[in-house]
Amino acid sequence: MTDAPLTAIADESAYGEAVQLAVDAAAAYYADGTSTIDDDVYDRLVRGIEAYEKEHPEQVLPGSPTGKVAGGAVVGDVPHTVPMLSLDNVFGAEQLADWAASLERRLARPVTVWSVEPKLDGLAISARYRRGRLAQLVTRGDGVAGEDVSHAIGTIDGLPDRLAEPVTVELRGEVMMTASQFEDACAKRQAHDGTTFANPRSAAAGTLRAQDRPYVCELTFFGYGALPAPADTSDLAVRLRELPHSEVMAWVAGQGVRTTATTPVAGIVATTVEQVQERVEQIAAARAELPFGIDGIVIKCDLAADQVQAGFSSRAPRWAIAYKLPAAEKITKLLAVEWNTGRTGIIAPRAVLEPVELDGSIVTYATLHNAADIGRRGLMLGDSVVVYKAGDVIPRVEAPVVHLRTGDERPIEIPAACPHCGDAIDASQERWRCVRGRACRAIASISYAAGRDQLDIEGLAENRIQQMLDAGLIADFADLFTLTREQLLDLERMGETSTDNLLAALERAKGRPLSRVFCALGVRGTGRSMSRRMARHFGTMEAIRAADAEAIQQVDGMGPEKAPVVIAELAEVAPIIDKLIAAGVNMTEPGVVPAATATAAAAAGAEPGAEAGAEEAAEPGAGLPLAGMTVVVTGAMSGALESLSRNEMNELIERAGGKASSSVSAKTSMLVAGEKAGSKRTKAEGLGVRVVTPEEFAELVGELV
Ligand code: IVH
C-alpha cells in the first residue's frame, strides 16, 4: 500500500541495516513472542524495505523479509498439507475500499458477501483430527512446515480432544491466552521462579512449546478455518470446499470447537464495503474491553467460488485482507520508578512513563512487579521500553530497548527502607514487604475494612481513624468494636451525637454477613467477589480457618498458587479475627450451611433437601429465581434498586442464586440495564442476551431486595 506510513530508506547501507533489524525482530517475535521493536515500527520498516526494493530491484538481499511468511523467521519439520499463509494488510477505510475494488476488478464481478471477523493476536496452529479425535497439533513455522506441539493437547480450552462427529479434518485457528489465563500463568511463573511473562502473546508462544515445565498454563483456541485433506473426496470434504466461510465456521462451532461466535466480536457477514467498515469500527471499539487480544480485523470473501477464483499470491490469499489496528505494544520512555507500600504492606514498584496511547487509552503508569524483576530485565531510568496493554490486561513494561540507549540512562534506585514508614524491608520473598506488614499502612487497611462494600461503618472518615490511631485507641479495625463511649467522647471534635451515631454504626457493622467481614480482613488475593465465594463455600469463619490449601482450592477461582497465600495471610490476621469474634462480630454467611455440617448431615442419612439450607449447600441456588444464571449489571439503577452500589447489586444477584459478572459474553443470561447503559447494552443486544430494566429485575428477585 503506497500511502501507508513507512520508514524511509536512503541508500544501500541503510537498506542492509533495515533488513537486518527486521530479520532479527521477526526471529525474536516468532521464537518466543518478544521483539526489539513494536508491531507498528515493524510494519513501517517492512513497508520501507518493500518501497526501496521496488526502486532498486538489483539490490534485493536474499534474506529480505518481504514476500515471506513470518518474515522468513522460522522453520519446522512437519509439512503442512496446504501452506499456512500470511495476510496482506490495510491500515484504514480508504485502503480497505481500494483493496475491495481491486479484488472485484480481478474477479470481474462484485463480491456480494464478505465475512468480517477479529484478527486474533496469538499463534496460528493447525489441529489435525482423525475420525473425530485430535491427533496432531502443528505450529505455522515458515508456512510450509511447522513444529509438532501435540504435547499441548489437553491444555487448550476450546480445542476438544473429540469432535461431535467422527470426521477427519484439519482445523486452523489461533492459540492465545485470555486476560485471566495470562494473569494465572504469570502468577504460576512468579511462584515458580519469580519471573513473569512479558505479554499474553509471548506467554502463549512459550507455553505452547514448553514441554518440561513443572506447572501447566491453560491456553485458548479460536478456530478460523477448516480444510479437508487435498485428496479427500468424502461428502464432508466436498461440502467444506463448497460452503461459504460463514457456514464452515458454524459447522466448526457445531463440532464443539470454540470460534469467535461466542465473543462480543463474533464474525458476521456483510454485503457492502460500507457494512464491512461499520463492523470494523464496532470491533475496534469493543477491543479495549475484550478479555483477549486482537490486532486487527480479517475481511474475507465469504463465498467459496470467490475464494477459488481470487486465489493466492506466494505469501497470502488474495481473497482476504487484515485491517490492522494500532499495536497494543509500543515503545516509550521510562521516566521514573515510584515505590509504594500497599494496604497489606507489600512494597511494589510502578513505572512512570512518557504518556503513550495504547489500545484506546493513554498509559502513564505500568506494572513493574518487583525489585528482582527490574534487575533481571536490566531496566534503567531514561530507557526506551516496550509497554504492553491490551483489553483487560494491566499495562506492563516488558523490556528495555537496549540499542536505543544514548548513554544518559541512570540506574533505578532501589529503596533500602519502606517508602511509607521508613522501617526495614522484608526482602526474603520476591515481593518485598514492610516489616510492619499491615500495621505500616494501618489507616489504609482500616478505612478499607470500614468501606461501603465491606463493613459499611457510616461516619468513620479517614481523619477520625487517624485520630484514633494517634491516641493509641486502635491498632487495627477489630479494635473499633471495643471502643467505649468515654474513649470516643474524649476525642477532639467528637460530640455526643457523633459518638452515639458511630457506636450505632459499629453495632450494625457487627451483624454484616461473613462475606463482608472476610473481605474487610483484606486477605491478599480475595477481593469482593472472591470473598463472597469463600463465604458461600465455607459458611463460617471457623470452616475457613480449618481449611487446608487443598480445601481452599475447591473454591471457584482459587488456584494452587493462591490457596497457600490465603492460608499464610489467614495466619497473619488471626489475632484480628480472634478480636472480632471476642467482640461479637458475626462470623457466618446467612443461608449457607457450612460444608462440614452438610457432609455430616448427608453421612447421617438426612433426606436430601429436607432442610432448605442443606439443599442450598448441595446445589447452590437451586430453586432461587436466578438459579444457574449469569447476570451483568450496567447503567444507573432506579426504583427499589436505586440506592444499591454495584457490589450490593452483585450480592443481590448471588442471594438470588445467580452468578454476578462484570462483562457481557455469550455466557451471559441477563443484563440489567439502567439509565445511561452504554456498550454493554449494545453488546448484549448483539448477542441476543435478555435485557431487563432495574424495575423488572427487582420484581424478578422479589423480596430478596
Ligand atoms: S485467516 C491463509 N482469520 O493472522 C491465511 N487468520 O497474518 C488465512 N489470524 O497466520 C488466515 N485471526 O494466524 C485468519 N480470523 C482470522 C485470524 C487469522 C488471526 C492470524 C493467522 C494468520 C495471520 C496472518
Side-chain angles (χ1 to χ4, degrees):
M1 292 294 148
T2 45
D3 53 350
L6 51 80
T7 305
I9 295 174
D11 56 24
E12 193 167 1
S13 93
Y15 166 72
E17 278 173 32
V19 166
Q20 193 55 51
L21 183 57
V23 166
D24 289 348
Y29 186 75
Y30 286 98
D32 61 2
T34 61
S35 175
T36 42
I37 55 179
D38 66 42
D39 279 10
D40 282 348
V41 176
Y42 181 79
D43 285 339
R44 267 197 300 265
L45 186 66
V46 173
R47 283 198 300 279
I49 293 172
E50 259 163 18
Y52 185 86
E53 289 176 346
K54 217 165 152 194
E55 295 287 309
H56 309 276
E58 74 292 349
Q59 291 175 19
V60 174
L61 290 168
S64 166
T66 59
K68 290 190 186 136
V69 168
V74 275
V75 283
D77 53 8
V78 184
H80 291 300
T81 49
V82 176
M84 288 183 89
L85 299 179
S86 294
L87 289 169
D88 286 329
N89 297 324
V90 292
F91 295 86
E94 214 174 296
Q95 290 184 7
L96 172 67
D98 288 350
W99 171 77
S102 74
L103 178 60
E104 291 183 332
R105 276 197 302 277
R106 174 180 278 272
L107 297 177
R109 63 163 183 270
V111 173
T112 52
V113 197
W114 300 101
S115 111
V116 191
E117 56 195 53
K119 184 169 189 297
L120 303 148
D121 191 11
L123 303 102
I125 200 148
S126 147
R128 299 176 177 180
Y129 282 90
R130 282 192 211 113
R131 290 181 293 281
R133 279 188 173 266
L134 183 49
Q136 195 178 28
L137 281 184
V138 187
T139 64
R140 179 164 83 159
D142 65 356
V144 177
E147 213 178 307
D148 188 304
V149 287
S150 304
H151 57 262
I153 291 175
T155 62
I156 308 176
D157 192 46
L159 193 64
D161 291 351
R162 243 173 207 280
L163 296 179
E165 294 168 52
V167 291
T168 296
V169 68
E170 178 180 339
L171 300 185
R172 287 188 177 178
E174 206 79 352
V175 166
M176 52 205 299
M177 274 191 190
T178 62
S180 65
Q181 285 172 337
F182 176 58
E183 212 177 282
D184 192 52
C186 286
K188 285 181 175 160
R189 180 149 165 193
Q190 178 81 246
H192 179 250
D193 62 11
T195 65
T196 64
F197 294 104
N199 62 51
R201 193 184 180 284
S202 65
T207 298
L208 193 59
R209 289 214 171 82
Q211 293 217 46
D212 40 21
R213 266 195 206 150
Y215 54 97
V216 178
C217 302
E218 196 185 74
L219 297 162
T220 294
F221 175 83
F222 284 102
Y224 54 64
L227 31 148
D232 190 346
T233 52
S234 66
D235 285 356
L236 174 71
V238 173
R239 196 149 63 91
L240 286 177
R241 286 190 200 105
E242 287 175 356
L243 281 179
H245 172 69
S246 51
E247 288 177 37
V248 171
M249 292 321 295
W251 178 84
V252 170
Q255 293 301 317
V257 173
R258 185 189 306 281
T259 69
T260 58
T262 55
T263 73
V265 288
I268 59 141
V269 290
T271 53
T272 65
V273 175
E274 290 70 36
Q275 282 174 6
V276 170
Q277 181 62 32
E278 205 175 300
R279 183 63 180 163
V280 163
E281 278 154 30
Q282 283 170 357
I283 293 177
R287 182 190 193 193
E289 278 182 58
L290 290 177
F292 51 84
I294 65 171
D295 57 349
I297 292 98
V298 183
I299 297 114
K300 302 174 181 173
C301 290
D302 197 50
L303 303 181
D306 287 352
Q307 293 194 1
V308 170
Q309 198 187 332
F312 297 85
S313 73
S314 67
R315 198 187 89 105
R318 291 203 181 88
W319 44 264
I321 198 86
Y323 187 116
K324 291 280 269 199
L325 293 173
E329 209 175 43
K330 280 207 184 135
I331 291 173
T332 186
K333 281 254 153 57
L334 175 63
L335 301 178
V337 173
E338 290 178 356
W339 296 82
N340 297 303
T341 310
R343 188 159 40 76
T344 60
I346 295 279
I347 299 167
R350 177 167 87 153
V352 184
L353 306 167
E354 203 166 271
V356 59
E357 204 206 308
L358 267 175
D359 194 13
S361 61
I362 304 285
V363 173
T364 350
Y365 297 105
T367 308
L368 270 179
H369 313 294
N370 54 51
D373 198 54
I374 291 176
R376 268 191 300 264
R377 286 171 203 257
L379 279 174
M380 296 180 80
L381 291 182
D383 258 340
S384 297
V385 291
V386 181
V387 181
Y388 179 95
K389 146 112 183 51
D392 278 1
V393 176
I394 301 166
R396 46 173 50 219
V397 171
E398 297 187 355
V401 185
V402 179
H403 73 262
L404 291 181
R405 281 199 173 143
T406 60
D408 291 338
E409 295 74 20
R410 283 158 296 121
I412 293 170
E413 256 180 70
I414 308 287
C418 169
H420 181 71
C421 72
D423 212 324
I425 294 176
D426 171 2
S428 60
Q429 309 271 316
E430 288 262 350
R431 307 196 71 188
W432 287 4
R433 235 181 145 193
C434 172
V435 288
R436 301 180 62 215
R438 286 179 160 73
C440 172
R441 298 218 41 222
I443 180 144
S445 44
I446 298 171
S447 27
Y448 175 77
R452 182 168 176 198
D453 292 334
Q454 285 70 248
L455 296 176
D456 195 10
I457 307 173
E458 277 160 64
L460 191 62
E462 284 216 356
N463 53 359
R464 209 42 107 198
I465 300 172
Q466 191 61 56
Q467 232 184 344
M468 296 174 183
L469 282 166
D470 292 344
L473 295 181
I474 58 169
D476 55 47
F477 78 91
D479 295 334
L480 292 167
F481 295 101
T482 45
L483 287 171
T484 63
R485 196 159 189 277
E486 292 64 41
Q487 283 174 323
L488 288 174
L489 279 171
D490 264 358
L491 293 172
E492 244 176 81
R493 301 180 309 278
M494 194 77 181
E496 301 249 343
T497 321
S498 328
T499 300
D500 291 337
N501 287 346
L502 182 56
L503 286 170
L506 283 165
E507 210 43 48
R508 284 194 298 277
K510 279 189 191 171
R512 302 271 180 250
L514 174 66
S515 53
R516 282 163 166 259
V517 177
F518 184 81
C519 191
L521 292 169
V523 168
R524 270 188 279 151
T526 65
R528 287 175 303 227
S529 85
M530 181 55 82
S531 296
R532 287 198 298 274
R533 271 178 264 160
M534 288 281 291
R536 271 201 319 280
H537 184 87
F538 290 105
T540 67
M541 185 70 88
E542 203 187 342
I544 294 180
R545 294 178 101 178
D548 58 12
E550 205 175 311
I552 288 186
Q553 273 180 59
Q554 303 306 310
V555 179
D556 189 20
M558 271 289 175
E561 284 71 38
K562 257 190 186 177
V565 176
V566 172
I567 303 241
E569 287 271 292
L570 280 169
E572 187 176 309
V573 297
I576 303 183
I577 303 177
D578 291 338
K579 281 195 269 184
L580 291 170
I581 295 172
V585 173
N586 170 58
M587 292 287 154
T588 60
E589 189 68 1
V592 179
V593 166
T597 325
T599 338
E607 278 275 302
E611 209 185 311
E615 190 181 10
E616 170 145 344
E619 198 186 313
L624 290 167
L626 301 180
M629 295 175 72
T630 301
V631 183
V632 178
V633 180
T634 188
M637 292 300 102
S638 48
L641 308 179
E642 187 166 359
S643 65
L644 299 194
S645 68
R646 265 305 173 268
N647 183 55
E648 287 166 332
M649 279 299 292
N650 292 341
E651 287 177 334
L652 174 58
I653 291 165
E654 291 172 5
R655 268 205 308 285
K659 198 172 157 196
S661 165
S662 58
S663 58
V664 173
S665 74
K667 286 191 194 141
T668 310
S669 330
M670 181 190 286
L671 177 75
V672 186
E675 284 278 309
K676 299 205 191 83
S679 62
K680 286 189 187 167
R681 186 185 186 117
T682 323
K683 230 186 257 180
E685 285 166 352
L687 287 167
V689 169
R690 180 174 169 201
V691 179
V692 299
T693 64
E695 287 71 18
E696 286 164 340
F697 183 75
E699 195 148 312
L700 204 72
V701 295
E703 59 215 40
L704 291 160
V705 177

